Amino acid sequence: MLDSPSVNRDFEMALIGRSPPDEAALRQIEDGADHVLAEVGIRFEGDLETVDLWRQNGGIVKGDHVLLDGPRLRKIIRENAPESFTLRARNPVRDTSIGAKHAPVFAPIYGAPNVLLENGERSSGSLSIYRRLVSMAHAAPALSNTGHMICVLNDVPETVRPMEMALAHLTLSDKPFMGCIASPEAAVDVIDVASMAVGRDATDGACELLHLINATPPLVYKDNPLKVLRAVARRRQACMVTSYMMMGATSPVTVAGTLIQGYAEVLAGLALTQLWSPGAPAVMGLFAIPFGMKSMLPCYGDPASHVVQIYAVQLARRLGVPIRGEGGVTSAKVDDGQAGAEGARATAASVLSGADFILHSAGWLEQGRSVSIGKFEREATAIAQLYGIEAGESAPPLPLDPRLESELRQRIRM
């Protein structure tokens, strides 16, 4: 496990250019979110079970639109969600704890459809490249989680992708990884095989997989994330409930307005995890990127995103749940100085503000549309240097039980 680096407070303040978030500022964000929830509400599309659950718990329901009580949501979260939990690996030595009293967990880029190879050529994501990226994540000592969908498996049918990715993570690494969100059925299938691979009895405060559950700003949850959230929470696995906003497009243009909207969205999602399964592990994610009206693209690397990150950490601490951070996000199209500067600032903002699970820590390029092999290796090395980890590679993974591997391959063939 990584040891936390010493924090230079002056540098942290330089990132945001002002005093640290204080009680009055954070309370204003909470009050603003309460007003949004009570007067505007959240839409929960295509999932009547979620709407019925809100009706039973004091929500004012009008179709799929629900008005909610912010203070009640915070009470539900604070009384039930754990402050920290453990992600269990096939190799118990690689178990990682997530929460305020533990060092941050770093995971690679998530969801890139394309790959930038070392020779500068671009390629669509494929199964062979995916397996290589998982091996790289395992070999990097600073990456204690091998993530999920590091690139899209464009050469594999969608119905088979969840099991192919699970097979790659389980055979090429014995570190924890992230869960599938393609559908509730696929999520449960991967939970089952991960639990079998770990091979330990279920215990409170521990699970095998962390699942990325995204709101759809502004103020909407779609049906698939809602159904996946429910399935995951009921299996006592972890949900990382995230509002990922584009300032001026899917959220207000100001930092304050964006924080209010995003906090309202994640309050609803985090409360759902506890209503479906009190005590289920949950992580809060709240991040935003200014949106360029000329380019019609998000502007990664803008300091406004770092301000959002720093406030998000403090809001999560007040709720008593772990918080997501953003790693090396950048708008650069190649692995150049811009990519390095923007990615380093994003990682620094997450580390210095105290984020617990830092996604996209290695490989992100081109607004997330590509994973760069070179940037992946460089950023993984830089994180290791930050924490004083000796150069070298992680020990090879423990072999997967051949009977389980055979079962997984049989499921893929079917």
Side-chain angles (χ1 to χ4, degrees):
M1 192 63 186
L2 301 175
D3 292 324
S4 298
S6 59
V7 174
N8 185 322
R9 194 65 172 168
D10 292 337
F11 179 43
E12 182 180 359
M13 292 305 100
L15 280 171
I16 61 174
R18 53 164 293 167
S19 300
D22 59 15
E23 173 71 24
L26 295 168
R27 185 62 198 166
Q28 281 185 310
I29 296 167
E30 291 173 342
D31 289 345
D34 293 348
H35 178 77
V36 169
L37 289 165
E39 300 294 330
V40 182
I42 307 279
R43 286 182 63 194
F44 300 91
E45 296 183 352
D47 187 30
L48 294 178
E49 286 189 58
T50 293
V51 174
D52 287 342
L53 182 70
W54 284 126
R55 185 181 288 110
Q56 297 163 21
N57 286 274
I60 301 173
V61 177
K62 300 175 182 178
D64 61 4
H65 183 248
V66 184
L67 302 180
L68 296 165
D69 182 345
R72 175 169 167 72
L73 299 186
R74 283 194 291 277
K75 184 173 186 290
I76 291 169
I77 297 164
R78 287 169 177 158
E79 290 182 351
N80 294 284
E83 291 185 348
S84 63
F85 61 94
T86 298
L87 279 177
R88 300 195 296 189
R90 283 202 302 115
N91 183 348
V93 173
R94 300 192 188 278
D95 288 358
T96 55
S97 296
I98 299 176
K101 296 180 181 179
H102 305 281
V105 172
F106 292 90
I109 182 175
Y110 188 120
N114 303 306
V115 182
L116 181 65
L117 301 172
E118 301 97 312
N119 60 7
E121 293 183 5
R122 292 182 185 273
S123 171
S124 293
S126 66
L127 176 58
S128 63
I129 294 175
Y130 192 86
R131 291 179 64 84
R132 180 185 176 193
L133 289 166
V134 172
S135 295
M136 290 170 58
H138 175 82
L143 301 182
S144 46
N145 189 291
T146 58
H148 177 71
M149 202 184 288
I150 312 173
C151 72
V152 177
L153 281 62
N154 291 296
D155 59 342
V156 175
E158 288 189 23
T159 54
V160 182
R161 289 176 190 175
M163 279 300 161
E164 282 284 14
M165 287 186 283
L167 183 63
H169 287 280
L170 289 170
T171 56
L172 301 172
S173 177
D174 57 8
K175 295 179 179 180
F177 61 104
M178 295 180 68
C180 172
I181 58 169
S183 69
E185 296 80 13
V188 169
D189 285 345
V190 175
I191 290 169
D192 286 343
V193 298
S195 298
M196 285 189 288
V198 168
R200 286 178 268 170
D201 293 336
T203 59
D204 288 339
C207 63
E208 285 72 44
L209 297 170
L210 174 62
H211 300 76
L212 178 58
I213 306 294
N214 284 320
T216 303
L219 302 172
V220 173
Y221 278 89
K222 298 290 186 180
D223 58 340
N224 188 65
L226 290 171
K227 293 173 183 177
V228 172
L229 180 152
R230 179 167 62 251
V232 169
R234 284 175 168 171
R235 295 298 296 268
R236 309 295 288 177
Q237 299 293 310
C239 291
M240 185 159 62
V241 180
T242 297
S243 173
Y244 208 91
M245 299 162 286
M246 291 182 285
M247 301 166 63
T250 62
S251 74
V253 73
T254 64
V255 169
T258 290
L259 284 165
I260 287 169
Q261 177 190 305
Y263 186 60
E265 291 168 355
V266 297
L267 273 182
L270 290 168
L272 277 175
T273 66
Q274 302 310 305
L275 289 172
W276 288 124
S277 184
V283 177
M284 173 177 144
L286 199 169
F287 192 68
I289 318 97
F291 191 75
M293 293 301 174
K294 184 176 181 179
S295 65
M296 297 304 290
L297 291 170
C299 303
Y300 287 93
D302 192 288
S305 296
H306 311 328
V307 179
V308 172
Q309 177 71 72
I310 290 167
Y311 272 85
V313 170
Q314 296 304 311
L315 289 166
R317 293 289 177 256
R318 289 163 67 87
L319 276 179
V321 294
I323 178 69
R324 167 183 169 176
E326 298 302 300
V329 295
T330 176
S331 292
K333 295 178 180 172
V334 295
D335 185 17
D336 57 6
Q338 177 190 351
E342 291 176 349
R345 287 200 301 269
T347 301
S350 293
V351 169
L352 294 173
S353 62
D356 301 307
F357 188 95
I358 302 179
L359 193 58
H360 310 311
S361 296
W364 173 292
L365 206 62
E366 199 179 1
Q367 285 111 357
R369 296 195 296 265
S370 295
V371 51
S372 164
I373 299 293
K375 188 168 182 280
F376 190 112
E377 293 176 333
R378 178 173 55 76
E379 288 177 319
T381 299
I383 295 168
Q385 291 172 343
L386 172 67
Y387 285 88
I389 299 173
E390 293 183 5
E393 296 186 354
S394 299
L398 299 176
L400 180 65
D401 184 330
R403 291 170 298 178
L404 179 56
E405 182 175 350
S406 176
E407 179 181 336
L408 276 170
R409 294 190 185 281
Q410 178 66 21
R411 291 192 188 191
I412 291 169
R413 285 193 295 270
M414 292 173 61

